[in-house]
Amino acid sequence: MFTGAPVRGANPVVLFVVTVLWAWLRVPEAARDTLWAEDGRDFLADSAAASAGSLWATPYAGYLHLLPRVIADAVTASVDVEQWALAMTAASCLTVGVVAVVVWACTADLMTSPSARGALALTPVLLPVVSVEVLGNVANLHWFLLWVTPWVLLHRPRTRVGVVLATLGLFVVGATEIQAVLFVPLLLWGWRDARRWPARVALLAGLVAQAVAAVSSPREEMAGAPGSLADLVTGYLVNVPAGALWADASSVGEIADGRLWLLALAALPFVAAGAWVLLRGTALQRVAAVTLLGGSVGAFAGAYLANGYHRAFYSTWGPAEWEAFSFSRYGVVPGMLLVALLPLALGVALGRRRRVAAVVLGLLLAVVTLAQVVQTGSVDGARAAGPEWTGGADAVVEQCETGQAEAVAPIAPGGPWTITLPCSYVEAHD
């Protein structure tokens, strides 16, 4: 997905290493050796039972998931069964590192400050809520692809290699993340520039494939009432600005129970940064600010309204419900987009040599970053309780040694989630 922007020197290498290590360290040690939900039950199990590449265009839950299926094929072809969980965790963290470098490269058109670009590129791994469920598994990599989409669309590739890589990257995005349709309006930006269109056509091709998959293999109807505008607004505040700043969901619940206005205030610095860009930025920078503001609200609203069984009627909650509040993964990318307004505004201020604005924005960004960093490790995540896959792999081997055709083992998050593997594969790769 690298697009041919200048990445000379050590900056992208350092950024990649820091991002991958930070992502890895944010996944609790026990969780690294835990297979998560679709990673095991669908992607790895399907790959083990089929030939490589044969399932890349096979929908799951009404959507295509190209990147997770490619990674699963690579893991089942090259990694011992007992190392699958670690391999999937590592693949996720490496992908997040690539995404960071792509964002850093693509923002060269937006701002000249390497520091501001680096801070923006690191946004996803600093967000406290990202480690609850999204980080460290391939089933949720589509969120990071959604995050990277607007940056690639706003960037103009400068070389033929950049055009090719952007084209391949955006096709992977389209064929993995159907929500990338949210950023299709950005195709109007620079629409006369022929160099931009191969990647844009590739994105559209991936999204058309998603539409075909949705029609041919429709997703199960999401049950539940639609929820009100008040539910949507309340849900946004407790999951997006709150999830961007706090790791402790119980504390957020306490604030939301009667003092929701405080969470609205928490969003104001980011909104103010976006407004400043709209006043002082170039045309491209203003488009980026509108994209971040609109994308943050739109991404949350779309996910909230499209997933009935995950929907919560936040505006009707009382003390008991807020005491049990937990963050939703649907707030992760909206939180990334909201927080990104600060480094974007800082980059604009530095580029225009607005010293006072640069100092204020720099201090705000430092405070937000410090608040996020000091909370690292305070969220165990949904996989921390196991079961660890090393024991599951041993159980699979033992079952196959008894002559069974298939072996079953539990995976996170527990309950009905299991992985079923053909013993013919297990025996061939033991």
Side-chain angles (χ1 to χ4, degrees):
M1 292 171 61
F2 171 57
T3 60
V7 289
R8 302 180 186 91
N11 282 341
V13 176
V14 172
L15 177 64
F16 176 78
V17 172
V18 169
T19 303
V20 172
L21 288 178
W22 194 257
W24 178 265
L25 292 173
R26 291 206 62 185
V27 180
E29 185 175 357
R32 296 173 200 155
D33 188 34
T34 301
L35 281 181
W36 174 254
E38 292 91 348
D39 281 18
R41 188 193 68 181
D42 299 287
F43 303 135
L44 287 170
D46 288 353
S47 177
S51 57
S54 63
L55 298 175
W56 291 1
T58 300
Y60 161 70
Y63 306 133
L64 297 179
H65 301 264
L66 177 59
L67 183 58
R69 290 200 181 277
V70 170
I71 291 174
D73 276 358
V75 169
T76 57
S78 60
V79 179
D80 291 341
V81 174
E82 65 180 11
Q83 299 298 320
W84 276 4
L86 291 173
M88 296 292 267
T89 302
S92 170
C93 295
L94 289 169
T95 303
V96 173
V98 171
V99 165
V101 173
V102 172
V103 171
W104 189 89
C106 289
T107 51
D109 291 346
L110 276 168
M111 46 192 174
T112 57
S113 168
S115 299
R117 290 164 59 198
L120 194 152
L122 285 169
T123 297
V125 291
L126 292 174
L127 213 68
V129 74
V130 78
S131 60
V132 173
E133 181 179 342
V134 171
L135 195 61
N137 59 83
V138 305
N140 283 295
L141 280 179
H142 65 97
W143 296 112
F144 295 97
L145 299 191
L146 183 60
W147 150 256
V148 79
T149 302
W151 307 113
V152 181
L153 287 175
L154 288 172
H155 175 68
R156 183 183 187 273
R158 301 178 183 180
T159 66
R160 291 181 179 178
V161 173
V163 171
V164 171
L165 293 177
T167 300
L168 291 174
L170 282 183
F171 177 76
V172 171
V173 168
T176 303
E177 175 53 285
I178 193 171
Q179 295 174 100
V181 71
L182 177 68
F183 298 113
V184 164
L186 287 178
L187 271 60
L188 296 174
W189 175 256
W191 66 273
R192 294 182 178 180
D193 189 343
R195 189 176 286 272
R196 297 177 185 268
W197 276 103
R200 295 177 174 191
V201 170
L203 176 64
L204 291 174
L207 292 174
V208 168
Q210 291 281 13
V212 172
V215 172
S216 62
S217 180
R219 188 181 187 188
E220 183 180 347
E221 187 68 24
M222 297 294 103
S228 67
L229 179 60
D231 294 324
L232 181 60
V233 172
T234 305
Y236 180 86
L237 291 175
V238 298
N239 285 292
V240 180
L245 297 172
W246 286 281
D248 186 1
S250 62
S251 296
V252 173
E254 290 179 11
I255 296 172
D257 185 19
R259 293 174 292 169
L260 189 64
W261 59 272
L262 286 175
L263 299 181
L265 287 179
L268 282 183
F270 308 109
V271 176
W276 193 86
V277 175
L278 292 176
L279 289 173
R280 301 295 184 183
T282 64
L284 177 59
Q285 290 165 343
R286 291 197 296 270
V287 170
V290 171
T291 299
L292 294 175
L293 286 166
S296 179
V297 174
F300 182 81
Y304 177 84
L305 295 174
N307 292 276
Y309 68 98
H310 281 302
R311 194 176 302 139
F313 302 106
Y314 296 106
S315 68
T316 67
W317 281 10
E321 289 88 355
W322 285 120
E323 185 177 357
F325 169 73
S326 60
F327 291 118
S328 167
R329 65 179 180 273
Y330 301 133
V332 172
V333 173
M336 296 177 190
L337 297 171
L338 184 68
V339 171
L341 287 162
L342 270 182
L344 173 63
L346 176 60
V348 172
L350 291 171
R352 296 179 64 87
R353 298 183 180 180
R354 301 275 182 168
R355 294 184 179 179
V356 174
V359 169
V360 172
L361 290 164
L363 287 174
L364 277 173
L365 181 59
V367 169
V368 170
T369 302
L370 180 62
Q372 293 173 331
V373 170
V374 297
Q375 296 178 89
T376 299
S378 60
V379 178
D380 286 335
R383 294 186 296 158
E388 293 188 17
W389 173 243
T390 302
D394 291 341
V396 165
V397 172
E398 291 174 2
Q399 291 175 53
C400 289
E401 288 176 346
T402 66
Q404 297 179 197
E406 294 180 333
V408 181
I411 57 176
W417 289 93
T418 61
I419 181 172
T420 302
L421 297 175
C423 285
S424 58
Y425 173 89
V426 175
E427 292 164 356
H429 293 80
D430 184 18

